């Protein structure tokens, strides 16, 4: 049972659009880690689910989708509801899905008629039930508020419910539509959505346990409370995180953990194909728990972390940087990854060599090996043993003192050999090898552990793994590495004049969004998960909604546009009134205003809209900050001093960054215009020249600090 991605859905029967606790959450786990999305309406959630699945199918991925409501009802219900003759065939769970899909209405603002439909179902049964419970103020004829006696033959629970316990919790009866933990209402508004998903995906989808779990997309019922102890611990460690968020993350992570280790199959083994359905993982709680990674995300940043001391007006760049550095801490937890898949990831713990490299003394060259003590100065003649030692083909006999053995590069030194003479320095007649002494003791050999000792720290926590590191880790027998979950960087553009993409037409007063593709690409280049939050108009509510979305889907949000303090600066206005804004007036050109704020636990970098300023602010401020939050520590760019190829008179007060590149004779030339609207200069340049905030009269030949794009990880 191979799965590339696990999506766990925490459903909701809310009758209004809702976020946060008791609303809809998706937990998505795959090789890049786990993310959670909070979605306010069922229609949007259905669309998102279908979008995720279609993207996965397009990439030939196999997906497991778990939903936290019942896929089937206790035995007997399907027959009675849909009018199938009880004796005829096995009950068809999909007939119930279809029955509900025909009757349930559910608007784009979550207005549903589930109570009417429950009453309609009740009318098909003698007595008051089976459905009961009404959380609404208005009475619903045919739907009792308290538990009625069940019609003859209908059970209160399914067999699977008894198995699906977790820290004392056990699924409630599917008949119960209201009250804490009741799953009945969610089931009624959930099954119609799944019915349509089935129609959309046809044979790409298998619904387990009604169908064998062998389609590209497998849908199953889950019960996140099975991990309630772990969820509790997670919430305690992450103040502000709602339970639903923790539940979908942890369950998706646990199921994906099993998938990665090829350990999912047993969960599907005891499939019971009756229409009651089955909770995936019931009876396998321990396996699920074990599949969870050791550590969860550390606490989020404090809401006041960006506060600038009172009375501060203009902040020099260096002060801003050190204040920012002090405000932040790593925000992503750790997971284990196979070493071969860990390139680009950041180690969350030191990596310890499992054995020495090399593990045993071996030969560094092709030649002849012998005991040094048996040789001296002048011509040496050593009889050859009739054997050979090669890499992967060790010679396991002792080589007698005074004799030599043919030995090849990488071969373990046989017993009795401590020195090797290079083949090119010898002659041999097949019976003996001849060379000139003296030879240095231990010549042409590698000592055990001369590269890395067993138990030594091979790479430290915080190190970002590059291709050569995978070589080292593999050489040391490190099969799995603890790495930080990749930082998710949300990017949103604001502005009434902005058109989201150049594939759409723009009127003369409109401009295409230049910042978002740039920032998303930077995030990806830096090894983070780019989260495209799209473009929004200059409208407080729209921006707020998008930030909500961003806080649910990303660890940090980059906005561009509207960050100043003017009439049209909607981002900073919103962050000031509804978030915790700290407007940093940084003595920087280009750039100046950087709006830093916390929004629902996520730090927001409000970048200027101007692409030149947006890039400079991102490289100078966001890059080291993201690196710190991702667990790789603060990153300062490496600059070097070169003679200027330009002249410029500069006033004191602001630190300046000029678009620059190196000439063939190693001087720095700058772009012809400092105009901050000149986007072409960003592409013309290969780096930035940094001028200090003092007054300066730069002449050709004056030494200036050059920061290549590459030193910002910009490739
Ligand atoms: P603002 O920071 O919103 O005052 O914008 C400053 C300048 O940058 C204005 O000329 C905007 O039209 C422009 N601008 C804002 N956002 C973008 C964007 N995403 N792409 C290109 N230009 C932008
Ligand atoms: Mg604007």
């Amino acid at each position: 049972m191979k799965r590339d991605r696990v999506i766990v859905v925490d459903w909701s029967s809310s009758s209004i659009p809702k976020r946060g606790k008791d609303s809809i959450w998706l937990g998505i786990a795959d090789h890049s880690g786990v993310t959670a999305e909070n979605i306010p309406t069922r229609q949007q959630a259905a669309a998102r689910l279908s979008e995720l699945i279609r993207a996965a199918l397009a990439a030939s991925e196999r997906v497991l989708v778990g939903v936290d409501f019942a896929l089937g009802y206790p035995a007997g219900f399907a027959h009675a509801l849909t009018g199938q003759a009880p004796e005829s065939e096995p009950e068809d769970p999909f007939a119930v899905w279809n029955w509900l899909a025909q009757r349930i209405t559910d608007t784009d603002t979550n207005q549903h008629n589930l109570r009417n439909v429950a009453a309609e179902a009740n009318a098909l049964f003698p007595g008051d039930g089976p459905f009961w419970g009404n959380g609404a103020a208005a009475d619903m004829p045919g739907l009792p508020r308290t538990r009625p006696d069940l019609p003859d033959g209908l059970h209160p629970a399914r067999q699977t419910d008894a198995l699906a316990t977790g820290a004392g919790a056990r699924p409630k009866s599917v008949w119960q539509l209201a009250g804490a933990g009741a799953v009945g209402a969610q089931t009624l508004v959930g099954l119609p959505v799944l019915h349509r998903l089935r129609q959309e995906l046809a044979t790409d989808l298998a619904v387990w346990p009604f169908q064998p779990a062998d389609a590209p997309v497998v849908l199953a019922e889950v019960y996140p409370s099975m991990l309630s102890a772990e969820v509790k611990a997670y919430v305690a460690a992450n103040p502000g995180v709602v339970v639903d968020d923790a539940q979908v993350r942890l369950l998706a992570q646990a199921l994906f953990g099993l998938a990665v280790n090829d350990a999912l199959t047993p969960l599907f083994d005891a499939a019971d194909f009756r229409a009651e359905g089955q909770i995936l993982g019931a009876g396998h709680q321990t396996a699920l728990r074990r599949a969870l990674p050791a550590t969860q995300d550390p606490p989020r940043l404090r809401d006041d972390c960006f506060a600038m001391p009172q009375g501060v007006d203009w902040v020099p760049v260096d002060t801003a940087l050190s204040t920012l550095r002090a405000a932040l801490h790593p925000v992503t937890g750790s997971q284990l990854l196979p070493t071969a898949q860990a390139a680009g990831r950041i180690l969350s713990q030191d990596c310890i060599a499992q054995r020495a490299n090399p593990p045993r003394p071996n030969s560094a060259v092709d030649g002849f090996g012998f005991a040094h003590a048996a040789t001296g100065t002048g011509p040496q003649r050593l009889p050859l043993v009739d054997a050979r030692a090669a890499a992967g083909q060790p010679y396991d006999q002792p080589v007698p003192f005074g004799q030599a053995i043919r030995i090849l590069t990488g071969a373990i030194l046989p017993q009795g050999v401590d020195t090797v003479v290079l083949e090119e320095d010898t002659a041999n007649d097949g019976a003996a090898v001849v060379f000139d002494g003296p030879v240095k003791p231990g010549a042409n050999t590698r000592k055990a552990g001369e590269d890395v000792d067993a138990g030594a720290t091979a790479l430290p926590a915080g190190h970002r793994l590059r291709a050569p590191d995978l070589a080292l880790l593999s050489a040391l027998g490190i099969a799995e590495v603890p790495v930080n979950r990749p930082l998710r960087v949300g990017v949103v553009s604001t502005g009434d004049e902005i058109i989201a993409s150049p594939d759409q037409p723009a009127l003369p007063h409109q401009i295409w969004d230049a910042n978002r593709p740039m920032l998303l690409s930077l995030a990806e280049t830096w090894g983070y998960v780019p989260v495209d939050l799209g473009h929004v108009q200059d409208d407080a509510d729209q921006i707020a909604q998008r930030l909500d979305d961003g806080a649910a889907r990303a660890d940090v949000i980059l906005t561009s546009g509207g960050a100043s303090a003017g009439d049209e600066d909607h981002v900073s206005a919103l962050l000031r009134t509804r978030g915790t804004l700290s407007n940093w007036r940084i003595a920087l050109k280009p750039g100046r205003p950087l709006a830093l704020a916390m929004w629902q636990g996520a730090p927001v970098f409000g970048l200027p809209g101007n692409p030149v300023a947006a890039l400079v602010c991102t490289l100078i401020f966001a890059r080291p900050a993201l690196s710190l939050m991702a667990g790789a520590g603060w990153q300062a760019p490496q600059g070097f001093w070169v003679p200027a190829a330009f002249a410029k008179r500069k006033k004191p007060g602001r630190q300046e960054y000029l678009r620059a590149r190196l000439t063939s004779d190693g001087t720095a030339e700058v772009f012809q215009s400092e105009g901050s609207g000149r986007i072409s200069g960003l592409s013309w340049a290969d780096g930035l020249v940094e001028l200090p905030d003092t007054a300066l009269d730069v002449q050709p030949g004056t030494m200036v600090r050059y920061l290549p794009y590459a030193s910002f990880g910009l490739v």
Side-chain angles (χ1 to χ4, degrees):
M1 177 85 193
K2 274 234 144 333
R3 294 291 131 179
D4 306 294
R5 188 178 303 258
V6 173
I7 304 174
V8 169
V9 182
D10 184 341
W11 201 239
S12 158
S13 60
S14 173
S15 52
I16 49 166
K18 191 169 178 185
R19 286 185 185 273
K21 197 169 141 32
D22 294 332
S23 63
I24 301 175
W25 288 83
L26 303 187
I28 304 161
D30 58 25
H31 277 295
S32 64
V34 59
T35 55
E37 299 182 11
N38 187 199
I39 301 180
T41 69
R42 282 179 292 276
Q43 283 195 9
Q44 284 175 39
R48 177 69 179 141
L49 188 59
S50 141
E51 174 185 59
L52 286 168
I53 291 173
R54 273 187 280 108
L57 287 175
S60 300
E61 289 182 349
R62 298 174 78 81
V63 190
L64 170 62
V65 180
V67 295
D68 75 332
F69 54 83
L71 299 191
Y73 285 89
F77 178 71
H79 273 323
L81 182 79
T82 63
Q84 301 164 319
E87 293 80 16
S88 64
E89 332 170 333
E91 290 192 294
D92 176 9
F94 300 127
V96 177
W97 293 24
N98 184 46
W99 191 93
L100 288 171
Q102 312 248 309
R103 290 163 176 81
I104 291 283
T105 57
D106 199 351
T107 70
D108 59 2
T109 54
N110 270 353
Q111 288 171 293
H112 59 65
N113 64 343
L114 74 86
R115 292 183 194 89
N116 309 57
V117 174
E120 187 183 340
N122 279 350
L124 299 172
F125 292 83
D128 291 338
F131 290 107
W132 66 276
N134 181 354
D139 282 336
M140 171 61 60
L143 182 64
R145 282 193 184 269
T146 54
R147 187 203 323 258
D149 288 336
L150 278 179
D152 271 356
L154 277 190
H155 282 278
R158 306 167 300 161
Q159 287 189 355
T160 189
D161 295 333
L163 272 178
T165 59
R170 157 198 286 227
K172 287 236 160 42
S173 165
V174 288
W175 308 126
Q176 182 182 341
L177 305 188
V183 69
Q186 297 182 40
T187 303
L188 291 177
V189 286
L191 291 178
V193 169
L194 299 184
H195 177 77
R196 287 187 285 276
L197 192 65
R198 254 192 105 216
Q199 287 176 328
E200 177 188 336
L201 296 174
T203 53
D204 280 339
L205 175 79
V207 182
W208 185 86
F210 312 136
Q211 299 170 309
D214 56 8
V217 185
V218 169
L219 174 72
E221 177 181 345
V222 295
Y223 181 54
S225 295
M226 289 198 306
L227 296 176
S228 51
E230 289 71 20
V231 167
K232 219 170 138 190
Y234 182 93
V235 171
N238 298 275
V241 170
V242 300
V243 171
D244 318 60
D245 181 353
Q247 284 188 338
V248 295
R249 273 174 200 275
L250 295 190
L251 188 53
Q253 226 171 353
L255 288 167
F256 185 69
L258 291 176
V260 167
N261 295 317
D262 231 351
L264 260 187
T265 315
L267 274 65
F268 290 90
D269 268 354
D272 169 349
F273 290 84
R274 286 174 313 159
E276 280 201 347
Q278 225 174 322
I279 292 173
L280 182 67
H284 297 268
Q285 283 87 337
T286 312
L288 280 172
R289 243 172 240 134
R290 286 220 184 105
L292 280 175
T295 69
Q296 302 304 336
D297 282 4
R300 290 179 146 189
L301 297 166
R302 290 162 47 103
D303 269 351
D304 59 358
C305 69
F306 293 130
M308 268 282 176
Q310 287 285 312
V312 173
D313 189 12
W314 283 96
V315 198
V317 172
D318 285 347
T319 312
L321 286 174
S322 50
T323 310
L324 190 57
R325 182 175 187 169
L328 299 172
H329 64 69
V331 297
T332 59
S334 125
Q335 65 180 132
L336 275 180
L337 267 195
T339 300
Q341 287 164 21
R345 294 298 203 88
I346 298 157
L347 290 176
S348 58
Q349 289 167 34
D350 292 352
C351 275
I352 306 300
Q354 297 303 296
R355 71 172 196 186
N357 184 48
R360 302 280 292 278
N362 65 31
S363 179
V365 298
D366 290 352
F368 296 87
F370 47 85
H372 181 265
T375 62
T377 323
Q380 308 291 313
R381 185 172 196 283
L382 303 180
L384 282 171
V385 297
D386 185 16
R388 199 180 76 128
Q393 297 166 22
Y395 179 63
D396 56 6
Q397 310 287 312
V399 173
F401 190 76
Q403 296 190 21
I405 184 173
R406 173 88 174 117
I407 192 165
L408 302 177
T409 308
I412 289 180
L413 301 185
Q415 211 185 316
V417 173
D418 58 18
T419 301
V420 175
V421 60
L422 191 65
E423 180 169 355
E424 290 87 320
D425 297 341
T426 66
N428 93 78
D429 58 7
V433 60
V434 178
F435 56 89
D436 273 337
V439 175
K440 272 210 246 160
N444 298 313
T445 65
R446 307 168 177 146
K447 291 190 227 4
E450 72 172 24
D451 183 26
V452 183
D453 263 334
T457 300
L459 291 168
H463 180 80
R464 189 187 288 276
L465 295 174
R466 304 152 303 168
D469 302 322
L470 302 195
L472 174 62
L473 294 170
S474 301
L476 298 175
I478 300 172
E480 285 186 318
V481 283
V483 293
N484 284 304
R485 171 175 71 69
L487 191 76
R488 298 160 308 164
V489 180
V491 176
V492 58
S493 295
T494 69
D496 286 342
E497 77 281 30
I498 306 292
I499 297 293
S501 159
D503 62 14
Q504 294 154 26
L507 295 168
H509 64 279
Q510 296 175 320
I511 59 174
W512 287 292
D513 189 351
N515 291 336
R516 199 158 42 94
M518 172 172 76
L519 297 172
L520 287 168
S521 160
L522 276 175
E524 185 157 29
T525 306
W526 290 336
Y528 308 129
V529 178
V531 179
D532 187 355
L533 300 172
H535 156 252
V536 277
Q537 302 289 319
D538 284 324
D539 171 85
D541 287 334
Q542 278 191 41
I543 302 171
Q545 238 183 43
R546 211 56 72 92
L547 292 179
D548 284 349
D549 186 28
R553 291 168 58 195
D555 302 302
V556 48
I557 302 170
L558 308 181
T559 71
S560 73
S564 244
D567 292 351
E568 290 296 322
D569 290 312
H570 301 268
V571 173
S572 45
L574 171 75
L575 293 173
R576 190 174 307 111
T577 51
R578 294 200 227 163
T580 50
L581 175 78
S582 200
N583 230 332
W584 289 21
R585 302 221 302 155
I586 302 167
L588 167 77
K589 184 182 170 190
R592 212 173 344 207
L594 183 63
L596 289 170
M598 293 298 293
W599 187 272
Q600 292 180 12
V604 180
F605 285 74
L607 302 164
N610 192 298
V612 177
L615 180 67
V616 167
C617 279
T618 304
L619 297 184
I620 304 297
F621 293 101
R623 176 173 176 268
L626 297 181
S627 172
L628 186 68
M629 282 188 277
W634 189 261
Q635 266 178 327
Q638 230 169 31
F640 51 96
W641 292 84
V642 296
F646 61 94
K648 176 182 163 70
R649 192 179 287 272
K650 179 187 169 302
K651 288 190 288 212
R654 291 213 266 163
Q655 189 155 312
E656 288 190 28
Y657 290 91
L658 311 176
R659 283 147 281 178
R661 65 185 187 191
L662 290 184
T663 63
S664 54
D665 53 5
T667 58
E669 58 175 340
V670 295
F671 191 56
Q672 51 171 343
S673 158
E674 288 184 18
S676 60
R678 300 289 295 267
I679 304 177
S680 65
L682 294 177
S683 286
W684 173 92
D686 276 329
L688 301 172
V689 156
E690 180 187 85
L691 300 178
D693 50 13
T694 51
L696 209 61
D697 187 7
V698 180
Q699 291 302 323
T702 307
M703 297 301 277
V704 292
R705 187 160 186 253
Y706 178 69
L707 302 160
Y709 276 167
S711 77
F712 294 104
L714 201 164
V715 288

